[in-house]
Amino acid sequence: MLGLATSGLIYTVGTFIPDWMFYPFNAAQFGEPEVQEFLAPTTGPDPLLSYYMVSCIGFFSFILCAVACFLIYRMKMFESKRVILYLIGSAYVVFLGMRAWNFTAFNSGYFGFFGRASGWLIFLIFYEVAPLISILFMGLPPALTLEIMTLFVSIFIVLVPLVNPYGDLWDVLQQANDERTDEFTCYVSTTYCKKLLEVIAVSPLLIVCIIVVCILIVSFILDYSNRRAFINKKIIQALNKQKEQALVKQKEDQEKLINSIFPPVIARDLIIEQMQESTSRSTEGSLRSLGSSGTLGRTVARLHQNVTIVFTDICGFTAMSQECSPKDVMRFLHSLFVAFDDLIEMDGHLFKVETIGDAFMIASGLNVNSQESVRSFSVGGSTSMISCESMDASSSAKAAIRFAVAALKEAHNLTMPNGKRCQVRAGAHTGAVCSGVVGSQMPRFCLFGDTVNTANRMESTGRAGRLQVSEATHGFVRDEKEFEWEDPVSVKVKGKGDMKTYFLNDIEDSLDCDPPR
């Protein structure tokens, strides 16, 4: 666009405006019968109309090309912009054709302005083809530039001087030099002065050739630079895209890690707070900074009603740990707990709370996916309490029992590193719990309340391969036909005294268990 504008400006100032300034002179000159008769073979019966029609065509070729290029850039229907190159090439071809015809038909006055020896060459450089100089910085493809320059040289340096109404301009140039040699007072040898005048006469031609060669060289250099810049741009775009993808993956991994540690509703709050505070934290640093930034302390506790807590514990784990290497113990626990995790994924009521040693703790009916709350109230300082909407207590209790039964079966199918069959105790209790994230160094999501302690006692006072539940839990599932319960027994529970509990008839007793904790 800039190159076209420059060519149009040069042509307007250097050729188009002066042509119209000379209109009265040209009208009078071309009105002479002798001039009309002389120009009729090349210009037709009206030389004045032909002259200014050619001038206008050259002017509007640049204007129309610039407008067309602008519209193509703005319109989305042209996905490929190569059509612009064809338009630019066509505009310069039209311009060269019109100026060549004008130069051939009306060049009789060129000698009067600039002298016979090299007047037509000077007129050619400064008047006819000066707009071509803008090709230097247009960055056109070398092939298109070579095509335009070849067309220019062929027309103005070869064809026009040889085929025109005034004879061979090269012969005119030689005759003019001979005449000037005769008139010139030479203080040295005549041969030297003749050669000197020939060099002076031909120097405009050398300038034209130099301009053409420079335009071609600059075109090749610009094309090479543009290609290198394009490749570098693509490389930078690819690197930026790769970096953006790495950042997105890092963000996804960070959110996945947070979601694996905290419940969804809490993880969502933490992620939103982090995004507001900083967008460039690493995963390790972000977890470590949650507590120090105060994010964890804004909403610490959530109150949940009718939550069923299930604890499982491996019988004989203490003895097995003494007999086997820590690596084998860890591998065995990993296999067992992964199987338990798969069971949790099957039911939306269940949520894995934590593992401590060989103990596995889950909660059913915690409703950690809900964003709704019944009421919110402050319990002192920056701590606030949210009373969460409860899930169906009966459905939650049934989901917990099903998990416990499946966990007992999964454990029964595994063999411990010491070669003995794995036996697990399970205990469940239903009641109110309080959930929250505690600590600033490696923060953890925990459940608090007497319900947790009672569920733990149901497990620790249970039997190997059996599930023991409290009366509260039994009350929610006693009418379910899929569960068969033994008669209630009285169990002495530390800190609570005697409690009525129920054992599920599911898996037979097979192994002795460790003493109650």
Side-chain angles (χ1 to χ4, degrees), residues 278-456:
S278 174
T279 58
S280 60
R281 288 178 180 161
S282 64
T283 302
E284 179 181 358
S286 62
L287 286 176
R288 189 176 295 274
S289 63
L290 291 176
S292 60
S293 65
T295 302
L296 296 176
R298 293 191 179 98
T299 303
V300 174
R302 283 178 168 80
L303 182 62
H304 310 268
Q305 301 291 341
N306 297 324
V307 176
T308 301
I309 305 296
V310 177
F311 276 92
T312 66
D313 191 75
I314 301 174
C315 297
F317 181 79
T318 303
M320 184 265 291
S321 298
Q322 294 175 353
E323 299 171 5
C324 304
S325 65
K327 181 177 68 173
D328 293 335
V329 174
M330 185 188 71
R331 185 182 295 114
F332 165 72
L333 287 178
H334 177 71
S335 300
L336 179 63
F337 290 164
V338 167
F340 288 177
D341 290 339
D342 293 339
L343 296 176
I344 293 174
E345 291 293 331
M346 297 179 182
D347 198 316
H349 291 82
L350 305 177
F351 178 77
K352 178 182 177 180
V353 181
E354 61 182 341
T355 59
I356 303 176
D358 63 322
F360 194 93
M361 176 184 175
I362 68 109
S364 180
L366 199 59
N367 202 15
V368 291
N369 295 319
S370 176
Q371 295 183 347
E372 298 179 355
S373 61
V374 177
R375 58 196 178 92
S376 177
F377 52 92
S378 176
V379 295
S382 61
T383 304
S384 61
M385 178 77 75
I386 293 180
S387 180
C388 295
E389 183 179 358
S390 299
M391 300 179 72
D392 182 66
S394 178
S395 299
S396 301
K398 286 188 292 184
I401 300 303
R402 293 191 188 103
F403 166 79
V405 172
L408 293 174
K409 291 180 179 179
E410 286 286 348
H412 188 72
N413 294 329
L414 295 178
T415 301
M416 295 191 297
N418 60 1
K420 297 180 180 180
R421 186 173 296 277
C422 179
Q423 290 290 312
V424 169
R425 289 189 304 265
H429 177 62
T430 303
V433 295
C434 181
S435 68
V437 180
V438 294
S440 59
Q441 301 294 323
M442 299 184 65
R444 296 172 57 193
F445 175 77
C446 300
L447 298 183
F448 303 93
D450 184 65
T451 301
V452 178
N453 298 330
T454 303
N456 181 259

Side-chain angles (χ1 to χ4, degrees), residues 214-281:
C214 289
I215 289 176
L216 292 175
I217 293 176
V218 170
S219 175
F220 278 98
I221 294 175
L222 286 178
D223 182 72
Y224 176 77
S225 301
N226 291 337
R227 291 179 181 273
R228 289 293 301 271
F230 178 79
I231 294 174
N232 293 335
K233 179 182 178 181
K234 290 296 183 182
I235 293 175
I236 293 174
Q237 289 178 348
L239 293 176
N240 289 336
K241 184 177 180 180
Q242 184 178 4
K243 184 178 180 181
E244 290 176 359
Q245 292 175 346
L247 291 175
V248 170
K249 186 177 184 303
Q250 180 182 1
K251 180 177 179 293
E252 292 176 351
D253 293 342
Q254 176 179 338
E255 293 180 0
K256 183 178 179 181
L257 175 61
I258 295 176
N259 279 288
S260 67
I261 297 175
F262 306 111
V265 64
I266 295 178
R268 185 165 47 248
D269 292 341
L270 297 180
I271 292 172
I272 293 175
E273 292 290 346
Q274 274 189 291
M275 291 176 61
Q276 293 176 348
E277 292 177 3
S278 174
T279 58
S280 60
R281 288 178 180 161

Side-chain angles (χ1 to χ4, degrees), residues 107-146:
N107 65 359
S108 59
Y110 299 165
F111 303 109
F113 282 114
F114 302 102
R116 294 191 64 191
S118 55
W120 65 277
L121 288 173
I122 296 176
F123 199 87
L124 175 67
I125 297 173
F126 292 100
Y127 187 78
E128 294 292 348
V129 294
L132 293 180
I133 199 67
S134 63
I135 297 178
L136 273 172
F137 59 85
M138 287 183 68
L140 297 178
L144 181 58
T145 304
L146 180 62

